[in-house]
Amino acid sequence: MKRLLASLALAALLPQTVSAQSLPQAPEIAARAYVLLDLSANQPLAAREADTTVEPASLTKLMTAYLVFQALRDRKLALDQELTVSERAWRTGMTDASRMYIQVGTKVKVEDLIKGMIVQSGNDATVLLAEAVGGSVENFVAMMNRQAQAFGLKVSQFKNPEGLPAPGHVSTVRELGIIATRLLQDFPGEVKYYSIKEFTFNKITQQNRNLLLWRDPSVDGLKTGYTDAAGYCLIATAKRDLPNGPRRLLSVVVGASSKEARAVESQKLLNWGYSSWDAVKVYDARQAIATAEVWKGASASVKLGTQTPVAVAVPRGEAAQVKTQLVRTDPLIAPLNQGQQVGTLKVMSGTRVLAEVPVTALEPVAQAGMFGRAWDQLRLWMR
């Protein structure tokens, strides 16, 4: 019954209604809620209670990290910059077992604080980084909630940057998956911090709580969490090099019974995603997939393609059934800008619509001269 419910939940996530029987059955997952995403195909593979409100615990730190990396990108912060430890940051660390052991009044480099936040899940390091980026914890939390809105999140509300329990501090596994996905997409160079197995600061060595870093060489992140209300949580991501190219999956598991259980259930999801689903690469980014007639243009035709790679995931053995359908907004009338959307590419397996991707002009087309425009106008009237 649980597997059937999970399949029905996945069907609801896909662009078009899919019968549960047509999908691989997800394994039994001993957790309150979960979602498995194929990030290479931008597609959900399995889900249960994806939109149920949950307490995110230290998974909150993914949003904090996103804003810290954003500040580094915008040069509002530097990795070698030293921050003075505030009493608030130190006290926050003292309220929970997750801390970096920074001391009030000492100076700590931003990069060390990032490692403390990610590897050690240090609440003290997290608060100090929030103060540096936002000017105050309160301002930083407002930034977190604005970023959640920018991501299109409907449920997630943050009350602090570290994830300690607070009334109204909530999310869902689906929305946590979106935050993790955006972190990986927008800051791929920073993924290296999430694969660090241990970090020593102030002569204290702490190991990363993500047990899969030791068990699966393809796993390179991402974040653990725990509170009494949330249970044991893990967002895990793996990247495996396959014959048709690299493929990244991401699992979000919330409400497992122990550290071991969250690792085992996450591994189970990742392995099932790789073994039960095939990745199909359809087109490369900006690959010409069609040539269309252009009216009133200096050129009579234009090459069309997508701005991003097109890939889908299908149940194992269904790769040969994948087909595409190009729907154009004809007639195409110049001028056309490079990158201008002129249609939609539908990727299908049987009657299932797996993806709908904007199709754009791969090159600009200027207007024709007066005679050419008049002649094409006449031809259009005669169609």
Side-chain angles (χ1 to χ4, degrees):
M1 177 58 70
K2 287 184 179 179
R3 290 188 180 185
L4 177 60
L5 290 174
S7 294
L8 289 171
L10 174 58
L13 289 171
L14 290 171
Q16 181 173 315
T17 302
V18 180
S19 65
Q21 289 74 18
S22 67
L23 297 171
Q25 287 193 335
E28 294 283 356
I29 299 298
R32 186 179 311 146
Y34 70 82
V35 65
L36 176 67
L37 307 174
D38 187 322
L39 299 192
S40 300
N42 191 29
Q43 192 175 319
L45 302 183
R48 187 175 73 223
E49 300 293 338
D51 298 309
T52 297
T53 300
V54 298
E55 186 175 300
S58 279
L59 304 183
T60 300
K61 293 182 174 78
L62 291 180
M63 180 63 90
T64 301
Y66 187 94
L67 294 177
V68 170
F69 296 149
Q70 198 174 66
L72 288 167
R73 181 196 64 195
D74 298 341
R75 299 189 177 181
K76 297 177 180 178
L77 206 63
L79 287 175
D80 60 355
Q81 181 178 343
E82 292 188 333
L83 303 180
T84 301
V85 178
S86 67
E87 183 172 346
R88 181 169 185 173
W90 174 77
R91 286 191 180 279
T92 303
M94 295 298 289
T95 61
D96 186 74
S98 298
R99 60 183 183 268
M100 185 182 173
Y101 295 97
I102 53 180
Q103 301 299 317
V104 177
T106 61
K107 294 183 180 295
V108 186
K109 287 185 178 181
V110 166
E111 187 165 29
D112 285 340
L113 291 167
I114 289 172
K115 293 175 182 177
M117 173 178 66
I118 292 173
V119 182
Q120 301 173 333
S121 200
N123 294 330
D124 45 5
T126 304
V127 168
L128 186 55
L129 286 167
E131 290 175 332
V133 174
S136 70
V137 171
E138 289 73 21
N139 287 344
F140 186 84
V141 170
M143 292 171 63
M144 295 173 73
N145 288 313
R146 285 196 298 271
Q147 190 63 59
Q149 291 179 347
F151 286 163
L153 308 187
K154 305 299 183 185
V155 177
S156 297
Q157 285 288 322
F158 300 105
K159 303 298 182 181
N160 59 59
E162 76 282 343
L164 288 173
H169 188 93
V170 296
S171 189
T172 70
V173 292
R174 187 204 301 273
E175 295 192 352
L176 289 167
I178 292 172
I179 296 169
T181 298
R182 288 298 302 269
L183 182 69
L184 291 165
Q185 289 177 344
D186 296 348
F187 300 103
E190 280 64 41
V191 174
K192 62 184 180 182
Y193 293 114
Y194 290 94
S195 61
I196 297 173
K197 292 182 178 179
E198 65 179 30
F199 177 57
T200 300
F201 182 81
N202 201 20
K203 298 182 180 180
I204 300 172
T205 300
Q206 298 186 65
Q207 290 190 333
N208 195 315
R209 294 169 174 82
N210 182 359
L211 299 179
L212 295 188
L213 293 176
W214 282 267
R215 300 178 182 180
D216 184 341
S218 69
V219 171
D220 54 6
L222 203 56
K223 191 68 191 74
T224 62
Y226 171 78
T227 63
D228 289 341
Y232 290 88
C233 313
L234 174 60
I235 297 181
T237 184
K239 183 180 180 182
R240 298 184 185 179
D241 292 322
L242 303 176
N244 57 349
R247 185 181 179 201
R248 181 175 288 282
L249 301 185
L250 182 137
S251 63
V252 182
V253 171
V254 170
S257 60
S258 66
K259 295 177 183 178
E260 177 67 19
R262 70 186 174 192
V264 168
E265 301 309 299
S266 298
Q267 184 76 78
K268 194 185 301 182
L269 273 175
L270 293 171
N271 288 343
W272 174 80
Y274 283 112
S275 64
S276 298
W277 295 78
D278 285 330
V280 181
K281 185 177 182 180
V282 183
Y283 292 115
D284 289 320
R286 292 174 291 281
Q287 177 183 345
I289 63 177
T291 300
E293 184 176 15
V294 178
W295 299 81
K296 302 183 183 182
S299 174
S301 63
V302 63
K303 292 180 180 178
L304 309 180
T306 61
Q307 293 298 307
T308 57
V310 180
V312 293
V314 296
R316 176 60 56 89
E318 287 190 13
Q321 299 180 31
V322 173
K323 58 184 179 180
T324 61
Q325 178 184 358
L326 175 57
V327 181
R328 295 205 308 257
T329 54
D330 289 338
L332 301 183
I333 300 176
L336 295 174
N337 297 321
Q338 184 175 353
Q340 179 178 332
Q341 184 173 349
V342 294
T344 302
L345 180 73
K346 291 185 178 182
V347 184
M348 308 175 70
S349 176
T351 59
R352 293 204 310 270
V353 178
L354 303 177
E356 295 188 15
V357 186
V359 171
T360 64
L362 295 180
E363 54 204 358
V365 179
Q367 275 191 332
M370 184 181 298
F371 177 78
R373 296 199 306 273
W375 174 247
D376 276 359
Q377 184 63 61
L378 178 62
R379 292 173 61 211
L380 283 169
W381 285 339
M382 295 174 63
R383 288 183 69 185

